[in-house]
Amino acid sequence: MSLEELLESGGVPKREDFSQEDLAKLFRKYKGLQKKQERDQAFWAATNENLKIAYEKLDEQERELARTYAIIQDDLSVASKIQAALLPQPSAKIVSELELAVYHKQLAEVGGDYYDFFNTSSGGYALGVFDISGHGVSAALVMTYLKAQFMTILESLDSPKEIVEWVNNTSYEFLKTVKKYATVNFVVMNTNTLRYVSGGGFGLLLSGKCGSVFEKRDAFLGLRRRAFREFELPFRKGDLLALYTDGITEAQNDAGEDYSVQRLNKLIIKNAKKPVQEILDLCMEDYTRFRNKDSDDITLLILRKKV
Amino acid sequence: MAKKKDTTDLVVFGATIQGFAQACINLNIVAGAKAENLIGEIEVTGWYPFEKLREIEKVVFEVYENSGPILERVGMEMMLGWYNFGPGKEIIKKGVDFLHFQTGSQGYASVVKGPEKLVGSFNLEFLDEDSGRAKINSTTPFNKDMERGVIIGGMSAPGDLDFIDVKNDENPQIFRIEFA
């Protein structure tokens, strides 16, 4: 029987089954396997050593990442507090004249939705709701910039058109440079009317038995150097005004449907006689039930002129 | 881009560089986009500056602390590719033929060109088939661990030898070969 046949037979051969040549071949094969094993061992030892070093490096990188993440989280936490502090408290005049409810939530620690109350140069007051493109730190920085611009110009102007145009003209180059823009809803309150400018902002006014939605087709802040249009609507005792950003209306449910402006406005109209905080709570409950997740910053202001 | 043979530069045949890169990929030394970059721009029939090979070699040095056994395995893997998917089967029929192929550096000369001083040689200086011993002297600029792997891989590829051992630990340029 040849060596190959002996190996294939599966049994344990006897010494006499092997020829001298078979034994020599077996010896060579054994030596060959030994060498191969030595080479394999060296290869795997080098590979294992390499893996060990790679894991150690990975560990160190993970620790570094955790340290960096903690620093960023600390910074964001401070930024979040700063941004919250920049949001306004309504003045005594506003509190005395308006019943007011606000829902404001940033998607991340800081964000680009922004609302504000201002005193006008003629002793009245104004409201602004803005949605800065993008989210996070960059949008929050633009928010502080815009706040400063509005605060500056409101010391000398009280026409919403002039105010918004001035802010747009002075901010245009800056916003273009940082590749940002912002929707604007700017409302100046008068005795029995309100005047507004809207570039992409959402507004619903319920005055007596009439309902009006804001004409919002003007440009966003920072998008074009163009004139804005000013509109005037009645705003008497008992009238209700809702201002909001698209964070609510563009949120989607599991079927991919938008919450929609129509749904929000319908809900506000249906509950218009209720206290503003109750209307706001109903809106947010309905929104929360509808949407599968928040996908944008959210701002909703509901106010009624006190009787 | 393939570079034409130029006697003033040390150049390596594209198939050799690609074989080296492919061996690194087969052994998972590099993967993903890095691997694609390694072989993507190499034309097998082109000639490339020797530095191109050094670049790939550098990847191994960067990744492995102990690169010797790895480069030896890369050399072996390269020659399996050369034998199974390249011209190897046409050139050698038995393991010992690979040694004959190195006579007068003919194997090496087919993949490296340039000024003699830079090219060096990879020459079979001694062969005794009966006792299973041989000696190759290498003055090439190639890594010697990889060349040891090339000899082992080239002799193993036909599958007729039971035992192959190549040592160059006394003098890296002198490869003492035992085989049976």
Side-chain angles (χ1 to χ4, degrees), chain A residues 25 28-29 31-33 35 39-40 42-43 46-47 49-50 53, chain B residues 63-66 69-70 72-73 76 152 162-165 167 180:
Chain A
K25 189 169 177 62
R28 289 195 301 270
K29 277 197 180 294
K31 267 176 71 178
L33 284 172
K35 278 289 151 200
R39 286 194 288 266
D40 284 350
F43 174 74
T47 304
E49 181 60 22
N50 181 56
I53 292 165
Chain B
V63 175
Y64 291 88
E65 190 123 302
N66 178 15
I70 305 297
E72 180 190 270
R73 185 57 62 105
M76 289 168 67
I152 298 166
D162 295 324
F163 165 74
I164 301 159
D165 188 23
K167 284 194 172 83

Side-chain angles (χ1 to χ4, degrees), chain A residues 168-181:
Chain A
N168 186 52
N169 287 333
T170 52
S171 311
Y172 179 78
E173 285 302 329
F174 165 71
L175 291 173
K176 200 174 148 189
T177 304
V178 298
K179 296 187 170 67
K180 290 279 178 190
Y181 55 85

Side-chain angles (χ1 to χ4, degrees), chain A residues 70-85:
Chain A
I71 291 168
I72 293 170
Q73 280 301 115
D74 283 352
D75 276 351
L76 282 175
S77 166
V78 173
S80 176
K81 283 176 193 154
I82 291 170
Q83 191 173 38

